[in-house]
Amino acid sequence: MKYLTLIFFISFSVSAQDIKVKNLKKHVEYLSSDKLQGRGTGTSGEKMASEYIIKQFKKAGLSPLGENGGYLQLFPAKKGKPGKMTSVEAHNVVAYLNNDKPYTIVIGAHYDHLGMGDQGSSLQANSEGQIHNGADDNASGVAGMLELARYFSKNNITENYNMVFIAFSGEELGLVGSKFIADNPTFDLKNINCMFNLDMIGRYRTDKGVNIGGVGSSKFWEENATKLAENMAIKYTVDSSGIGPSDHTSFYLKDIPVLFLFTGAHQEYHKPTDDANLINYEGQKLMVEYIVKMIDLLGTTDKITFKKTSNPHSQAAKSTFKVTMGVIPDYSFDGKGMKIDGTTDGKPAEKAGIKAGDIIQKIGDFEIKDVYGYMEALGKHEKGQTVTIKILRKGETIELPLTF
């Protein structure tokens, strides 16, 4: 206990004194400006955003860690509303801070948003053609990631870990970019100690605080995540699950400990009104400082141990359906049915014996052609109802009973 107290004292004494609000504000204002037209996946606005991120990585002195000696990693994606899907090319932006250490920390944030409201996720009625600037979602997280890149490369300290910084695209299409790099890494996943995900960190409020997700994915988080928040006078809620609606899920499914910061939804969420003037920049700075201080604490440990997580402790993410199966869809799958990327322990799918890689073809009486058909089928069932799930597993058709 004395040792931990000393560590916290040191962390507070020397860490995070150089996180600059002016840098966070500059990044958010550019990334959420109208000229980027909402950073839709595969658009010219997304390309402008990626070029800006590369410029900041270069300014920080980070090495490229994408493909072909550059910062970019190309991946395919599909976007649009049901019946109007189009194929596009998108890019993750990947950079490396080499401290010549055996293990590496990943710090990520998604830089795509909803573009001109033509991707089907806007919560504004008749929004097609309107710019969805996404200042909080997720220019705020990218700004935090860029400021962390600058801080760790310029602080005249050699941390105990190397660092990979990733700006993901395709998050709004279903974690497509983060899944792609987790499946096709440009670095050795075996050497990854943990992954930090910053998604919507720009609207911190002292009445609601921040949701700290993924805490159950390592004993280290369980012992330190809330303690650090309390020492920093940060109001918080906790979600133990490593699975959630953001890019950390892709790394959790690779058995990597994850920690996810999210300052909460608001009335501007997924609407054209999510603009830079509404960001709480001092609160955003506090979230970035939290990551700095957590990495300071990690510097006193060896590689932390991964844990499979239990169900969420909080209700930070709510479903609009009466029932859930507890599956992670593979949004990049373009065959017939819905392919499963992972299941949640204790949920109906896991209890029924459904596994990652299975392709759901039928739920009860409802044929499943794609993820939209899956969501429609969920809305037709009640809690406690038992149905037969038809799946394709390695070419074999299997039927399993599932109780919602």
Side-chain angles (χ1 to χ4, degrees):
M1 289 297 292
K2 289 181 181 179
Y3 183 66
L4 282 176
T5 301
L6 177 60
I7 294 300
F8 274 108
F9 177 77
I10 294 172
S11 175
F12 270 75
S13 297
V14 301
S15 294
Q17 298 302 312
D18 197 31
I19 301 301
K20 298 184 183 299
V21 165
K22 68 176 184 179
N23 292 341
L24 297 171
K25 191 170 187 289
K26 178 185 73 173
H27 299 324
V28 170
E29 288 181 341
Y30 177 79
L31 292 168
S32 63
S33 61
D34 283 354
K35 65 181 177 181
L36 270 65
Q37 295 190 317
R39 309 185 307 280
T41 303
T43 66
S44 59
E46 182 204 57
K47 184 174 185 293
M48 291 174 67
S50 69
E51 290 171 347
Y52 179 84
I53 292 165
I54 291 171
K55 180 180 178 181
Q56 301 307 314
F57 282 158
K58 288 181 176 178
K59 189 176 179 180
L62 302 185
S63 302
L65 198 60
E67 298 170 324
N68 304 316
Y71 291 91
L72 297 177
Q73 181 191 41
L74 174 69
F75 65 90
K78 289 190 174 182
K79 60 184 287 189
K81 299 178 181 179
K84 298 181 180 180
M85 302 295 288
T86 59
S87 297
V88 297
E89 291 186 340
H91 297 87
N92 294 318
V93 191
V94 197
Y96 186 54
L97 177 59
N98 184 8
N99 287 326
D100 292 318
K101 302 298 181 180
Y103 299 115
T104 299
I105 291 170
V106 174
I107 301 174
H110 77 89
Y111 73 102
D112 64 306
H113 194 49
L114 305 186
M116 301 297 291
D118 56 352
Q119 295 185 188
S121 299
S122 177
L123 297 180
Q124 177 75 42
N126 304 313
S127 66
E128 194 160 346
Q130 298 185 49
I131 299 173
H132 290 61
N133 283 321
D136 189 24
D137 188 13
N138 184 36
S140 68
V142 176
M145 184 266 293
L146 292 176
E147 181 62 357
L148 286 167
R150 184 200 64 81
Y151 171 80
F152 282 117
S153 65
K154 303 296 184 182
N155 63 356
N156 297 317
I157 299 171
T158 301
E159 276 75 26
N160 200 36
Y161 298 96
N162 312 310
M163 296 183 189
V164 173
F165 296 89
I166 311 176
F168 306 106
S169 188
E171 191 271 355
E172 300 289 4
L173 303 179
L175 319 185
V176 181
S178 60
K179 174 179 168 51
F180 187 85
I181 197 169
D183 289 342
N184 305 275
T186 58
F187 45 87
D188 192 344
L189 287 182
K190 295 193 299 295
N191 295 333
I192 300 302
N193 184 39
C194 60
M195 186 267 184
F196 292 99
N197 182 27
L198 305 178
D199 191 349
M200 296 178 64
I201 60 168
R203 299 290 287 272
Y204 178 78
R205 292 157 287 185
T206 55
D207 59 334
K208 294 187 177 181
V210 59
N211 181 257
I212 307 173
V215 172
S217 65
S218 176
K219 185 178 179 181
F220 184 86
W221 305 142
E222 293 174 336
E223 293 176 346
N224 292 285
T226 60
K227 183 183 294 184
L228 177 58
E230 289 165 3
N231 274 272
M232 294 179 67
I234 294 173
K235 185 175 177 62
Y236 65 88
T237 57
V238 171
D239 185 339
S240 68
S241 181
I243 291 175
S246 192
D247 293 305
H248 59 286
T249 298
S250 300
F251 290 81
Y252 170 80
L253 292 173
K254 298 297 183 182
D255 294 346
I256 293 171
V258 295
L259 202 68
F260 168 48
L261 296 189
F262 168 62
T263 54
H266 41 75
Q267 63 183 5
E268 291 79 32
Y269 173 70
H270 275 208
K271 294 180 181 179
T273 48
D274 181 9
D275 288 323
N277 63 300
L278 300 176
I279 298 298
N280 173 4
Y281 291 102
E282 289 294 340
Q284 184 186 13
K285 177 175 181 283
L286 187 63
M287 299 301 99
V288 177
E289 289 175 341
Y290 178 89
I291 299 298
V292 170
K293 292 174 181 179
M294 186 60 76
I295 291 175
D296 284 348
L297 290 175
L298 281 168
T300 67
T301 70
D302 294 323
K303 190 172 187 286
I304 64 176
T305 303
F306 172 78
K307 284 179 57 181
K308 291 191 71 173
T309 65
S310 60
N311 293 335
H313 289 163
S314 77
Q315 298 298 315
K318 295 181 181 293
S319 171
T320 57
F321 303 110
K322 297 178 183 178
V323 299
T324 180
M325 283 179 58
V327 299
I328 306 297
D330 179 352
Y331 291 95
S332 63
F333 178 68
D334 58 3
K336 184 178 179 181
M338 188 185 79
K339 191 174 182 181
I340 303 302
D341 211 22
T343 62
T344 302
D345 288 352
K347 293 292 187 179
E350 188 266 341
K351 289 181 178 179
I354 294 173
K355 301 177 181 179
D358 289 346
I359 301 170
I360 297 177
Q361 297 183 317
K362 194 172 184 179
I363 299 176
D365 296 328
F366 298 91
E367 297 284 345
I368 308 301
K369 295 182 179 180
D370 52 29
V371 67
Y372 300 104
Y374 163 75
M375 291 188 289
E376 184 177 352
L378 282 188
K380 304 294 184 181
H381 293 91
E382 302 288 336
K383 193 169 184 179
Q385 185 177 358
T386 298
V387 298
T388 298
I389 305 292
K390 181 180 176 182
I391 64 171
L392 188 65
R393 178 181 293 168
K394 297 181 178 179
E396 180 184 358
T397 299
I398 301 173
E399 292 188 350
L400 299 169
L402 178 143
T403 301
F404 288 109

